[in-house]
């Protein structure tokens, strides 16, 4: 859902429309936010895995 505006901008460029600076910055901010969330989730899963093993629980990721 978060990437719909980014793909819409890509399609509009393909169709020959020009992008404004604000649209490019918005797309970059969207992609950067998604990357930060992915990194945070990966770090949380790496931290929680040893704790789950110590408690004898299955890892559910």
């Amino acid at each position: 859902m978060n990437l719909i505006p980014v793909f819409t901008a890509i399609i509009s460029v393909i169709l020959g429309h020009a992008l404004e600076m604000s649209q490019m910055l918005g797309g970059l901010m969207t992609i950067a936010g998604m990357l930060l969330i992915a990194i945070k989730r990966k770090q949380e899963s790496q931290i929680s895995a040893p704790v789950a093993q110590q408690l004898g629980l299955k890892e559910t990721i």
Side-chain angles (χ1 to χ4, degrees), residues 36-50:
L36 288 173
I37 289 171
I39 290 169
K40 182 178 178 184
R41 286 183 181 169
K42 184 176 180 181
Q43 289 174 346
E44 287 175 354
S45 68
Q46 290 174 348
I47 292 170
S48 65

Side-chain angles (χ1 to χ4, degrees), residues 24-42:
M24 288 187 258
L25 290 174
L28 288 173
M29 289 173 59
T30 301
I31 293 170
M34 295 187 70
L35 288 173
L36 288 173
I37 289 171
I39 290 169
K40 182 178 178 184
R41 286 183 181 169
K42 184 176 180 181

